[in-house]
Amino acid sequence: VTSDERFHGKPMLILDVGGGSTEFILGDQEHHQFRHSFPLGSVRLLEKLRPHDPPSIQDLAGCRDWLREFAIRQLGPAMESTLTEAVRRQVMLVGTGGATTILARMEKKLAHFAREDIDGVCLTRQRILDYMVHLWSLPLSERKKITGLPGNRADVIIMGVAIYEAVMQHFGLDELHVSTRGLRFGALLDSR
């Protein structure tokens, strides 16, 4: 992520929502103040909460309540000493991995992955909330028709977007910057 010039010299909270876990890295360039993997992933949460198809308003409310409690019990205590109010005012939230790149593809209405078109897309907290409400209102069969959302990820995207929304809400972060420069990108850079 730090190979992207847009993020040089800025404190970042890098968030990668995976299937079984979510990784948080707080720092700037080579200096990390916090690194932790939490047992919170889109597949894990989908299996735990098992929303209806289509998800009901109660399913969404239950998911948001569960995530709010998780943030209070686990994220807050683990991170609040490093992610202080002063840091929050300066930090850029950068998302890597499938959930954010899918949201960027949906935002740009891209049927196929195009790194150069989605790298650096910025989504506001309101836009994330809009996507969450929309995706949670649709049955799986309709989500599979959304441009930018791969059919094989149409089930788990509802949890991925809910996790991002919960983190942004809990820490008062207003923007999510999308980076395609995740672990594979870094491995390729190191091999040169």
Side-chain angles (χ1 to χ4, degrees):
V1 172
T2 60
S3 69
D4 190 330
E5 291 181 7
R6 288 173 283 218
F7 304 137
H8 277 231
K10 298 176 182 168
M12 291 181 284
L13 173 59
I14 300 171
L15 188 59
D16 186 346
V17 175
S21 63
T22 296
E23 284 67 49
F24 288 74
I25 302 172
L26 177 65
D28 57 70
Q29 295 311 107
E30 305 299 319
H31 304 81
H32 302 125
Q33 284 89 38
F34 179 85
R35 287 183 284 188
H36 193 76
S37 178
F38 291 91
L40 172 68
S42 54
V43 174
R44 187 183 296 231
L45 196 56
L46 185 67
E47 290 172 351
K48 179 176 188 57
L49 300 181
R50 299 190 181 279
H52 296 89
D53 186 27
S56 67
I57 292 172
Q58 292 80 12
D59 288 330
L60 177 54
C63 178
R64 292 185 85 195
D65 288 345
W66 192 94
L67 286 166
R68 190 176 304 110
E69 284 300 312
F70 185 88
I72 291 167
R73 283 187 282 83
Q74 294 199 38
L75 297 181
M79 297 182 67
E80 283 173 359
S81 64
T82 52
L83 191 57
T84 63
E85 186 61 37
V87 172
R88 289 181 210 184
R89 286 194 295 270
Q90 300 175 39
V91 76
M92 290 181 71
L93 176 62
V94 180
T96 64
T100 51
T101 57
I102 289 169
L103 290 169
R105 282 177 57 182
M106 290 169 53
E107 183 73 5
K108 295 281 195 163
K109 300 193 181 342
L110 299 172
H112 301 286
F113 182 86
R115 187 172 104 49
E116 62 281 354
D117 292 332
I118 60 176
D119 208 23
V121 166
C122 180
L123 299 164
T124 64
R125 185 178 354 166
Q126 182 60 53
R127 193 70 176 135
I128 295 292
L129 180 62
D130 293 344
Y131 275 122
M132 183 178 69
V133 170
H134 178 66
L135 291 167
W136 277 77
S137 72
L138 300 173
L140 179 60
S141 60
E142 291 300 310
R143 291 196 303 270
K144 288 182 177 183
K145 297 176 185 175
I146 296 174
T147 302
L149 175 53
N152 65 343
R153 301 294 296 276
D155 56 349
V156 296
I157 191 63
I158 61 173
M159 295 302 174
V161 71
I163 292 169
Y164 274 104
E165 192 273 336
V167 170
M168 293 174 82
Q169 178 69 32
H170 182 78
F171 292 113
L173 303 170
D174 293 326
E175 295 179 336
L176 170 64
H177 300 268
V178 178
S179 176
T180 61
R181 299 170 187 234
L183 184 59
R184 288 184 197 132
F185 188 91
L188 289 173
L189 278 180
D190 285 345
S191 68
R192 289 183 185 173

